[in-house]
């Protein structure tokens, strides 16, 4: 249960968020040019060819975490970063990865065009790779080493065409230490909300699009592609894990959503600060559930309620925002 006095703690946390918003312009992110994660080699010589791809606009802290995480698993040469507009700092953070810069001069129907482009890029990479991992820059796929060994181990064992993971919203608690720019997020963060919203499809071995957090498994009314939802695999969403980064990202989201161009993201971006405050309020009101029990409950709720669209053949997890509040086990630090 939440200890008594958590309302005061929540007030302090919200106050911290507001203070960071007020001074965010004066908070330097710091250079990451010489950080070890940029040059780190993969610890696993995969028998299969596996790559990871993402798209980014600024969001430098999250991108640094993404590059650190996947370069350790796959090697920096197998990472692909689509940059939305020229950005020297992104080039610096992702030095050694494959960087593709696209124009940012037309944002009409941004979401639909972005997704179509990423699916086409994904399709092209599958001409050269056995598996393509595709996540947002603030999403890290973590596997329980006691179940699967490593991320490449997991994919090498898969016989299905697409893979899902249980979603976790990792967040900064009131008592958590500040994160340095070069530190792994798992060194300082353990608090998480298990969520259906981010229990996404994240990897494919065949040319089928990832859409609306799911994957197309049927075409013309016929099932064409298979999927797996293996135990011990988690998609860790970092949006709420680092307050300064959250403030910066919220400003970008609000600016885009309020541009009044057609096809922009919805309410969650237009009212990004309210959305973040509601997340922390809800998280603080939930009881703490032990990790194994929380994961078991989440798998039951998600896997028994998967959503399939007959219109476009997309399978996705149910949009349950808050399933359990829990704490990450220590093995996440080794991912």
């Amino acid at each position: 249960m939440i200890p008594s006095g958590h309302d005061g703690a929540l007030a302090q946390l919200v106050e911290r968020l507001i203070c960071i918003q007020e001074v965010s312009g004066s908070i330097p992110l710091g250079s990451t040019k010489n950080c070890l994660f940029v040059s780190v080699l993969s610890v696993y010589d995969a028998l299969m060819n596996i790559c990871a791809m993402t798209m980014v606009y600024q969001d430098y802290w999250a991108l640094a975490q993404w590059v650190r995480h996947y370069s350790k698993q796959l090697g920096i040469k197998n990472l692909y970063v689509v940059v939305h507009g020229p950005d020297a700092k992104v080039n610096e953070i992702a030095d050694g990865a494959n960087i593709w810069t696209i124009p940012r001069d037309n944002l009409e129907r941004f979401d639909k065009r972005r997704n179509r482009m990423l699916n086409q890029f994904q399709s092209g990479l599958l001409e050269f790779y056995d598996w393509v991992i595709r996540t947002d820059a603030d999403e890290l796929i973590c596997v329980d080493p006691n179940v699967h060994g490593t991320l490449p181990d997991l994919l090498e064992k898969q016989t299905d065409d697409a893979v899902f993971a249980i979603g976790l919203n990792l967040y900064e608690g009131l008592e958590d230490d500040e994160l340095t720019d070069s530190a792994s997020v798992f060194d300082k963060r353990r608090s998480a909300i298990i969520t259906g919203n981010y229990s996404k499809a994240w990897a494919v071995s065949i040319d089928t699009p990832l859409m609306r957090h799911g994957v197309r498994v049927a075409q013309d009314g016929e099932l064409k592609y298979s999927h797996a939802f293996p135990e011990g695999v988690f998609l860790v969403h970092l949006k709420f894990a680092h307050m300064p980064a959250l403030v910066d990202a919220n400003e970008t989201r609000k600016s885009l959503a309020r541009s009044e161009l057609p096809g922009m993201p919805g309410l969650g971006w237009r009212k990004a600060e309210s959305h973040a405050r509601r997340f922390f309020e809800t998280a603080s009101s939930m009881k703490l559930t032990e990790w194994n029990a929380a994961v078991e409950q989440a798998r039951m709720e998600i896997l028994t309620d998967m959503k399939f669209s007959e219109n476009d053949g997309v399978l996705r997890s149910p949009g349950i925002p808050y399933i359990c509040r829990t704490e990450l086990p220590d093995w996440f630090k080794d991912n």
Side-chain angles (χ1 to χ4, degrees):
M1 297 294 292
I2 297 289
S4 60
H6 75 274
D7 287 340
L10 170 63
Q12 293 178 54
L13 193 60
V14 172
E15 183 178 353
R16 180 195 294 184
L17 178 60
I18 294 171
C19 288
I20 292 174
Q21 290 169 345
E22 292 174 346
V23 300
S24 60
S26 64
I27 299 176
L29 182 73
S31 175
T32 57
K33 182 176 182 179
N34 296 315
C35 290
L36 290 177
F37 70 86
V38 171
S39 60
V40 68
L41 296 176
S42 173
V43 297
Y44 188 84
D45 186 14
L47 298 176
M48 282 189 167
N49 289 325
I50 304 169
C51 71
M53 61 177 288
T54 194
M55 181 171 174
V56 68
Y57 173 68
Q58 298 179 349
D59 212 356
Y60 303 122
W61 175 80
L63 178 65
Q65 295 291 326
W66 190 92
V67 172
R68 166 197 287 275
H69 181 78
Y70 291 105
S71 63
K72 180 181 177 182
Q73 301 282 344
L74 306 173
I76 190 74
K77 67 180 182 179
N78 294 312
L79 305 189
Y80 292 81
V81 179
V82 180
V83 191
H84 202 185
D87 192 326
K89 193 165 188 65
V90 169
N91 293 349
E92 184 179 328
I93 293 170
D95 185 28
N98 303 281
I99 300 172
W100 182 27
T101 303
I102 63 170
R104 193 177 171 80
D105 52 2
N106 180 4
L107 296 178
E108 280 194 32
R109 309 197 181 284
F110 161 71
D111 243 6
K112 183 176 291 187
R113 292 164 63 212
R114 172 183 62 177
N115 197 55
R116 185 167 59 243
M117 177 206 64
L118 290 176
N119 276 319
Q120 291 172 349
F121 188 22
Q122 169 187 302
S123 175
L125 288 173
L126 283 167
E127 297 290 337
F128 303 94
Y129 288 93
D130 300 299
W131 282 94
V132 175
I133 296 169
R134 183 173 133 204
T135 71
D136 292 344
D138 61 355
E139 296 171 350
L140 309 180
I141 300 298
C142 297
V143 302
D144 186 341
N146 301 307
V147 180
H148 300 291
T150 66
L151 180 56
D153 287 338
L154 165 73
L155 291 178
E156 285 175 3
K157 292 183 293 187
Q158 290 303 315
T159 57
D160 290 295
D161 301 318
V163 186
F164 282 80
I166 293 291
L168 305 171
N169 268 321
L170 192 65
Y171 66 93
E172 179 175 333
L174 183 64
E175 303 301 324
D176 286 342
D177 294 334
E178 294 290 328
L179 281 168
T180 62
D181 294 338
S182 60
S184 167
V185 67
F186 298 117
D187 289 341
K188 301 293 185 181
R189 300 289 180 267
R190 293 188 63 201
S191 300
I193 301 296
I194 303 184
T195 170
N197 288 349
Y198 283 88
S199 295
K200 299 169 64 171
W202 56 272
V204 292
S205 62
I206 200 164
D207 186 11
T208 187
L210 295 171
M211 303 168 60
R212 302 196 309 278
H213 293 196
V215 61
R216 178 177 289 162
V217 296
Q219 193 169 349
D220 299 325
E222 294 185 8
L223 184 65
K224 290 193 64 175
Y225 308 113
S226 60
H227 73 282
F229 212 133
E231 294 186 6
V233 184
F234 303 92
L235 186 154
V236 183
H237 183 218
L238 304 182
K239 176 180 177 178
F240 303 107
H242 188 37
M243 288 290 192
L246 174 60
V247 170
D248 290 343
N250 280 348
E251 289 303 314
T252 299
R253 292 183 182 104
K254 288 189 298 182
S255 175
L256 274 174
R258 295 173 180 175
S259 66
E260 297 185 357
L261 291 171
M264 287 292 103
L267 188 63
W269 281 36
R270 286 197 301 273
K271 298 189 176 181
E273 290 168 2
S274 298
H275 182 263
R277 187 172 289 109
R278 183 167 62 253
F279 171 84
F280 285 108
E281 289 172 350
T282 304
S284 70
S285 70
M286 297 174 69
K287 71 176 184 177
L288 182 66
T289 303
E290 184 270 335
W291 170 255
N292 289 329
V295 171
E296 182 179 358
Q297 178 183 337
R299 286 186 63 85
M300 180 185 67
E301 291 192 25
I302 292 170
L303 271 68
T304 59
D305 194 25
M306 296 291 286
K307 306 298 184 182
F308 175 72
S309 170
E310 294 185 359
N311 290 332
D312 55 16
V314 171
L315 181 73
R316 62 177 177 82
S317 298
I320 311 171
Y322 306 95
I323 296 177
C324 291
R325 181 172 76 90
T326 190
E327 291 183 343
L328 304 188
D330 287 341
W331 62 255
F332 274 87
K333 295 180 181 180
D334 299 326
N335 268 255

